Amino acid sequence: MPMKIEQALTSLVIQAIRSLYNSTVESKSIVFQKTNAEYEGDLTIVVFPFLKISKKSPEVTAKEIGAYLQANSPEVEHFSVVKGFLNLVISGQYWFDYFTKVAENTGYAFVPVTDSSPTVMLEYSSPNTNKPLHLGHIRNNLLGYSVAEILKVNGNKVIKANLVNDRGIHICKSMLAWKKWGNGETPESAGIKGDHLVGKYYVEFDKNLKSQISNLKSQGLSEEEAEKKAPFMLEVQEMLRKWEAGDAEVVGLWKMMNSWVYKGFDETYKMLGVDFDKMYYESDTYLLGKKMIDEGLSKNVFNRGADGSVFIDLTPDGLDKKILLRSDGTSVYMTQDMGTAVERFKEFPELSKLIYTVGNEQDYHFKVLFLVLKKLGYKWAESCYHLSYGMVELPEGKMKSREGKVVDADDLIKEMIDTARETTMELGKTEGLELHEAEKLYHAIGLGALKYFILKVDPKKKMLFNPKESIDFNGHTGPFVQYTYARIQSVLRKGGSVVGSRLSVVGINRKEKNLIKIIYDFPGVVQDAGREYNPGVIANYVYELSKEYNQFYHDITILKEENADLRNFRLALSAKVAEVIRSGMNLLGIEVPEKM
RNA sequence: GCUUCCGUAGCUCAACUGGAUAGAGUGUAGGCCUCCGGAGCCUAAGGUUGUGGGUUCGACUCCCGCCGGGAGCACCA
């Protein structure tokens, strides 16, 4: 990657200040920003921080520094001053040279992974096996996958992990309902995906339990008592005990129903295009944390209550007391998470970061988890990070899975693809496409729209999904970017290939310069996205690039340009834009079609 | 009640981490296919950034107080 012009200018500004005002400034205080479109210029230096040193007005200071830069840097063509802002015009030659240097280098924005690169484990997805995936899971999956890809191109080895919540009382609920009312129904016999079938029995259980509870309440029991004494509740608890004791029949049922669910999940994962390097199952790991109870007690980090329960008192840290072992000796979620974290650093001692992709409703949980690990003396505790994301809300409010107010993942994916198919046909773009190619295209567009819609939003913020309005293919959307890519491919097919490093052009126009400047920004954007764990940075960037290209395409002739050098340059520029769009979209897990 | 996150155009989202007159899309009203793909391009209207103070050359951004909303609050996961 060529050196950034900002670096060279920074040291020049330091020189300027030394020579003009006989003083030194830190490079940190020299901030560059893009020049506003309404003024002439490429880069702007804010001179307010230097006024104390120069003891002159903002205008004079800016002019003096500007003159120095112009005199000492061939890249600074000229400059102008507006109030305290020094606007620098960087020569077209510089931008053109930059372009020829990166034109042939597809990885110019990426940090390569080597043997000595740090290893990061990123956990995401982590579903429960008692119901199918919904829109909330989709955000988790897309976010996790994308951040993993972004970390890779920032020079990290990434292990994508999925910890499946495959045991516990909620799983037993589906099992019990199926046993009672299922009549041996299977995904095959019912013609339903396995995860949906199991989910159906989960709902069934809940319904029947509720009617039992309301019966008991009408007999005069309180809500709390009724919940505890409902026969179905007692039965399901008994089932969980049997499962933990290894009862052959219960375990057999559990295995069968879970295998249905996994098959269903695999289909959904495949449609979403997400994958994992490492699968963990809670049935293997849920006992891990128990060992740490003694460790914590002997280190006086944990306390034992009179009833035998174990807890940690975090009130000195501004948090609460947190139970870690129930009075009956069983462990809670927190304990399990402690155990699995320790286990992972044992399994992968080279881990430099452990990232959990989990919704922000668990912010407190992870705050406590990391603090407990730190108090136990694990120095890697500070390398743990909660990639917290906001909830997806519907126009009518939060999704409630128990009330059936959810957007089912499989339904939504299908709807996106159907809409892509309809739109493509309406626009008459299916000509000359084989059927299976067409279907691949609808998938790319439908999923592209969905993924882009979700990933363009800052993960930290909650987002609204309106099923009627959110499926849009125009404007600031995935298909807009895909369309721009396909359009460029069409130009390149007609224009032939050119060697970007052997170009010569006398001058570049404003639109060309704008495009090169955006291409120039890509490395920094990739870095920002990685530092912030935010795919939205990439999404907004590829949109900006696409928009600029479409203007260029509209205003500037490419194929019919008579000057061969200019024509070649514009073809090479188009090819580079397409390549950056493709690599950016791939970081979001979105495919770009050659035609659409 | 305590802790915590959030309020930006009618709607959905940005704003380079404290910098210029807060930007896009969508929707609304208009315009652009004799030119490489109209899923595109251009123009217009649309804002006291919830609100009141403070910090400073400068605040959507930092601090404090209100108003409104979400989430979490030891033996659920």
Side-chain angles (χ1 to χ4, degrees):
Chain A
M1 193 193 342
M3 188 166 81
K4 302 204 77 178
I5 181 92
E6 286 93 332
Q7 266 176 281
L9 289 177
T10 296
S11 41
L12 217 48
V13 170
I14 292 175
Q15 274 181 38
I17 286 174
R18 191 178 299 136
S19 117
L20 289 166
Y21 313 121
N22 195 25
S23 182
T24 53
V25 289
E26 298 209 20
S27 54
K28 275 187 298 185
S29 65
I30 303 168
V31 284
F32 289 90
Q33 56 189 61
K34 289 181 200 162
T35 305
N36 271 16
E38 57 219 278
Y39 301 111
E40 199 200 1
D42 301 308
L43 291 171
T44 295
I45 300 174
V46 186
V47 301
F48 288 110
F50 313 140
L51 298 185
K52 278 179 194 149
I53 293 170
S54 73
K55 302 200 176 74
K56 291 176 181 168
S57 73
E59 288 81 359
V60 173
T61 308
K63 272 181 190 159
E64 288 177 347
I65 295 173
Y68 186 95
L69 294 181
Q70 190 179 9
N72 291 284
S73 166
E75 286 86 19
V76 179
E77 214 165 76
H78 55 277
F79 69 93
S80 61
V81 173
V82 182
K83 291 188 280 182
F85 299 91
L86 172 57
N87 300 325
L88 303 174
V89 177
I90 307 299
S91 71
Q93 190 62 43
Y94 173 82
W95 296 114
F96 180 77
D97 288 346
Y98 176 84
F99 176 72
T100 59
K101 277 179 205 146
V102 299
E104 306 278 307
N105 181 358
T106 52
Y108 80 106
F110 299 158
V111 178
V113 174
T114 65
D115 287 345
S116 56
S117 294
T119 304
V120 175
M121 179 179 280
L122 186 146
E123 179 190 307
Y124 74 105
S125 200
S126 303
N128 292 342
T129 56
N130 65 332
K131 50 178 188 279
L133 272 31
H134 59 68
L135 184 51
H137 298 114
I138 289 186
R139 189 176 198 191
N140 182 304
N141 281 279
L142 298 181
L143 179 62
Y145 177 86
S146 179
V147 169
E149 294 304 309
I150 290 167
L151 292 177
K152 280 186 199 169
V153 299
N154 273 286
N156 298 284
K157 294 181 202 156
V158 178
I159 304 168
K160 297 183 227 181
N162 188 356
L163 172 56
V164 182
N165 182 235
D166 64 343
R167 50 135 253 130
I169 195 84
H170 50 296
I171 312 293
C172 289
K173 286 178 179 176
S174 303
M175 287 159 60
L176 187 65
W178 183 86
K179 207 175 146 187
K180 279 182 178 304
W181 308 297
N183 295 315
E185 192 176 38
T186 66
E188 289 77 23
S189 75
I192 312 178
K193 265 181 90 210
D195 49 340
H196 289 261
L197 185 70
V198 170
K200 181 180 123 183
Y201 285 102
Y202 183 72
V203 172
E204 191 71 15
F205 178 90
D206 202 57
K207 207 172 75 189
N208 284 282
L209 177 66
K210 271 195 181 130
S211 77
Q212 268 190 348
I213 289 173
S214 65
N215 271 346
L216 289 173
K217 269 160 74 182
S218 64
Q219 288 166 31
L221 287 176
S222 74
E223 174 97 34
E224 213 175 314
E225 281 175 313
E227 274 173 20
K228 274 186 188 158
K229 290 190 176 158
F232 288 153
M233 198 47 133
L234 298 175
E235 260 187 276
V236 80
Q237 279 162 351
E238 175 58 20
M239 193 177 228
L240 181 60
R241 269 190 289 277
K242 281 187 174 171
W243 181 90
E244 293 196 4
D247 178 278
E249 194 198 331
V250 173
V251 170
L253 177 61
W254 172 75
K255 281 187 175 162
M256 180 179 74
M257 290 182 73
N258 267 351
S259 74
W260 296 346
V261 173
Y262 295 144
K263 214 176 154 207
F265 282 174
D266 284 345
E267 277 182 48
T268 309
Y269 285 148
K270 204 178 161 202
M271 291 301 273
L272 283 175
V274 301
D275 55 17
F276 306 95
D277 303 306
K278 191 88 193 157
M279 298 295 291
Y280 292 97
Y281 297 92
E282 209 182 282
S283 52
D284 296 328
T285 62
Y286 79 106
L287 294 172
L288 282 176
K290 275 196 175 183
K291 292 183 257 181
M292 297 175 64
I293 297 297
D294 290 335
E295 184 190 338
L297 285 170
S298 68
K299 286 180 179 168
N300 279 326
V301 177
F302 300 163
N303 302 298
R304 194 180 281 283
D307 58 1
S309 65
V310 175
F311 63 92
I312 182 167
D313 185 2
L314 295 172
T315 46
D317 299 277
L319 303 173
D320 295 314
K321 288 180 183 172
K322 178 68 195 173
I323 193 99
L324 296 170
L325 198 69
R326 295 187 189 107
S327 47
D328 67 3
T330 57
S331 61
V332 296
Y333 187 44
M334 184 65 72
T335 325
Q336 296 177 35
D337 269 2
M338 287 157 43
T340 54
V342 171
E343 198 62 21
R344 284 174 185 177
F345 277 93
K346 255 187 224 163
E347 189 183 356
F348 300 99
E350 73 276 22
L351 228 52
S352 70
K353 198 120 201 164
L354 176 57
I355 301 169
Y356 297 84
T357 313
V358 180
N360 65 7
E361 61 214 337
Q362 294 195 37
D363 283 354
Y364 182 77
H365 173 81
F366 283 101
K367 212 171 177 180
V368 171
L369 174 64
F370 300 157
L371 184 58
V372 171
L373 290 169
K374 191 178 167 190
K375 282 182 183 288
L376 285 171
Y378 296 104
K379 52 182 186 301
W380 46 257
E382 290 175 9
S383 310
C384 294
Y385 179 75
H386 176 203
L387 175 50
S388 167
Y389 62 91
M391 297 291 100
V392 183
E393 290 175 11
L394 301 175
E396 58 269 25
K398 253 201 88 175
M399 283 193 284
K400 300 236 167 70
S401 43
R402 290 215 182 103
E403 295 167 27
K405 273 177 24 184
V406 289
V407 175
D408 177 76
D410 295 317
D411 290 350
L412 179 59
I413 291 168
K414 185 176 180 302
E415 200 184 330
M416 296 302 302
I417 295 173
D418 288 345
T419 310
R421 185 184 299 112
E422 284 164 30
T423 309
T424 307
M425 286 178 165
E426 267 174 37
L427 292 170
K429 304 232 171 165
T430 49
E431 225 175 292
L433 277 183
E434 302 267 340
L435 190 64
H436 74 279
E437 278 179 330
E439 284 304 318
K440 261 177 78 180
L441 177 64
Y442 307 145
H443 183 273
I445 298 173
L447 269 293
L450 177 61
K451 290 182 181 185
Y452 192 92
F453 181 82
I454 288 173
L455 290 175
K456 78 172 180 190
V457 182
D458 186 335
K460 290 193 287 291
K461 298 188 178 175
K462 69 175 186 329
M463 63 176 293
L464 190 116
F465 185 88
N466 185 333
K468 287 195 175 63
E469 291 169 12
S470 297
I471 304 176
D472 200 347
F473 293 175
N474 300 316
H476 189 178
T477 66
F480 171 88
V481 179
Q482 290 172 318
Y483 174 77
T484 309
Y485 178 86
R487 195 183 217 185
I488 295 174
Q489 294 313 307
S490 168
V491 174
L492 296 178
R493 276 193 296 271
K494 288 171 187 162
S497 62
V498 287
V499 181
S501 53
R502 275 190 234 139
L503 294 167
S504 61
V505 167
V506 276
I508 59 174
N509 67 36
R510 189 180 179 82
K511 288 286 169 198
E512 290 158 350
K513 183 159 129 178
N514 284 346
L515 281 175
I516 295 174
K517 275 156 73 175
I518 299 175
I519 290 167
Y520 173 85
D521 285 338
F522 193 39
V525 165
V526 170
Q527 210 180 327
D528 287 350
R531 195 186 56 239
E532 294 169 22
Y533 306 100
N534 182 1
V537 174
I538 303 282
N540 287 314
Y541 170 82
V542 291
Y543 172 70
E544 192 196 344
L545 177 59
S546 301
K547 209 166 110 83
E548 189 66 37
Y549 184 84
N550 280 325
Q551 289 175 11
F552 164 80
Y553 179 87
H554 185 265
D555 295 351
I556 310 290
T557 302
I558 303 168
L559 294 177
K560 291 187 176 163
E561 171 58 49
E562 288 171 8
N563 179 326
D565 285 340
L566 212 44
R567 182 178 185 273
N568 281 345
F569 166 58
R570 287 175 186 161
L571 279 171
L573 185 57
S574 299
K576 189 66 186 176
V577 169
E579 175 214 305
V580 172
I581 288 178
R582 181 169 40 73
S583 37
M585 289 291 260
N586 286 348
L587 292 178
L588 304 176
I590 301 177
E591 297 170 70
V592 283
E594 301 300 304
K595 295 176 184 174
M596 69 181 275

